[in-house]
Amino acid sequence: EMETITNQDQHLSNLAEQLEEIADDLLIEAEDIHKKRLKAASQLEKAVQDELKDLYLDKAVFNVNIHLQESLDGLEYRGKNVHLNELGMDRVEFFISTNPGEPPKELRKIASGGEMSRIMLALKNIFAKHQRITSVIFDEVDTGVSGRVAQSMAEKIYNISNGSQVICISHLPQVASMADTHLKIEKILENNRTYTTVSELAFEDRIEEIGKMMTGAELTETSKIHARELIERNMSSSHS
């Protein structure tokens, strides 16, 4: 302690040198991550564009914008003061234009519910392939879509299940009818307590449940016929 106090200036100088060396190392690592991000961004843009074509957003333009995070008290990098953290020195934002002639804007600000669902599905599909993810959970990723878009999303989700286990929470008959296993989740009231039950549905039970999805709570013979056709068609197409 005496030595540290006596040679305080020298110790401070040594610490400053160490700090400068660490800062230089940080910038080298951050620059490496920055270059890799720029390369990955162009690959991701193309991959998302291809996925969105299958989901009826073929006119959409998807951009990955990467900016340096500037800060007045940051480290100097190429004439700018940048803020570093465990993820590097970049700020990454997704931009999209879903209408021809419109410039891309921030995804989180302009995408509708249905568009956001499709973009999330596209991203999950890409990441599941490249990261070799063994399980993927979709919690109502199909919100805000219907008709042919819903069918396309159902097929896309099923394709992901070819390489990963997929657990999908959905209220769409097109999606539910694609499942290999259909679980029904219900809440029941018993002795003034609420319990959640999960039961696997047999084939005929699936028809009834998907029929209710089509018409609401009331099940009709027409909806049962349509539900059966939907399940059987998807079973034959998915196993062909």
Side-chain angles (χ1 to χ4, degrees):
E1 289 177 1
M2 287 283 291
E3 194 273 336
T4 302
I5 295 169
T6 305
N7 299 295
Q8 183 181 22
D9 291 343
Q10 184 60 48
H11 280 290
L12 287 174
S13 179
N14 292 341
L15 288 172
E17 284 183 22
Q18 290 177 30
L19 194 61
E20 193 171 336
E21 288 175 8
I22 292 170
D24 289 341
D25 288 341
L26 274 173
L27 286 171
I28 290 170
E29 296 291 345
E31 184 177 46
D32 184 50
I33 294 172
H34 178 71
K35 289 177 180 177
K36 287 178 178 176
R37 276 204 178 104
L38 290 175
K39 183 179 178 182
S42 60
Q43 296 172 346
L44 181 61
E45 285 175 350
K46 184 181 183 306
V48 170
Q49 297 271 171
D50 292 340
E51 291 284 335
L52 292 181
K53 286 177 184 176
D54 298 335
L55 297 168
Y56 298 97
L57 280 175
D58 49 313
K59 303 295 184 185
V61 176
F62 180 82
N63 294 143
V64 180
N65 285 9
I66 298 174
H67 309 283
L68 295 177
Q69 292 192 89
E70 295 188 40
S71 172
L72 293 175
D73 57 352
L75 298 178
E76 187 177 345
Y77 174 75
R78 296 188 177 182
K80 296 180 180 179
N81 287 343
V82 295
H83 172 73
L84 281 89
N85 57 34
E86 66 273 18
L87 301 176
M89 57 183 176
D90 300 314
R91 182 183 178 193
V92 181
E93 289 182 303
F94 293 158
F95 278 57
I96 194 166
S97 168
T98 54
N99 300 310
E102 290 290 324
K105 296 177 183 176
E106 291 172 83
L107 170 64
R108 60 191 173 89
K109 290 185 177 179
I110 68 162
S112 67
E115 290 167 349
M116 188 68 80
S117 295
R118 283 179 272 178
I119 294 160
M120 285 299 298
L121 179 57
L123 290 170
K124 282 226 177 191
N125 194 16
I126 294 164
F127 296 149
K129 290 176 187 173
H130 289 279
Q131 296 176 354
R132 298 182 181 177
I133 295 171
T134 55
S135 295
V136 181
I137 299 174
F138 292 113
D139 186 1
E140 299 191 17
V141 71
D142 45 34
T143 300
V145 301
S146 59
R148 62 178 188 172
V149 175
Q151 184 62 35
S152 179
M153 290 187 74
E155 291 166 3
K156 186 76 69 178
I157 292 169
Y158 191 85
N159 288 340
I160 296 173
S161 75
N162 290 327
S164 305
Q165 177 194 46
V166 171
I167 298 171
C168 183
I169 300 163
S170 176
H171 294 287
L172 286 184
Q174 293 93 331
V175 174
S177 62
M178 293 290 288
D180 295 324
T181 303
H182 190 154
L183 302 175
K184 182 180 180 181
I185 303 172
E186 287 183 292
K187 286 185 178 179
I188 59 171
L189 188 63
E190 201 172 279
N191 298 325
N192 293 322
R193 291 289 305 275
T194 302
Y195 298 91
T196 300
T197 64
V198 182
S199 55
E200 183 176 344
L201 300 182
F203 184 77
E204 292 300 323
D205 295 326
R206 289 189 69 192
I207 291 172
E208 288 198 8
E209 196 59 35
I210 290 172
K212 289 177 184 176
M213 288 183 185
M214 291 177 170
T215 59
E218 186 180 348
L219 183 67
T220 65
E221 284 303 314
T222 303
S223 64
K224 286 177 68 173
I225 292 169
H226 287 165
R228 182 184 293 274
E229 288 176 350
L230 192 59
I231 295 170
E232 291 177 346
R233 186 185 69 209
N234 286 335
M235 285 176 65
S236 61
S237 62
S238 61
H239 292 107
S240 60

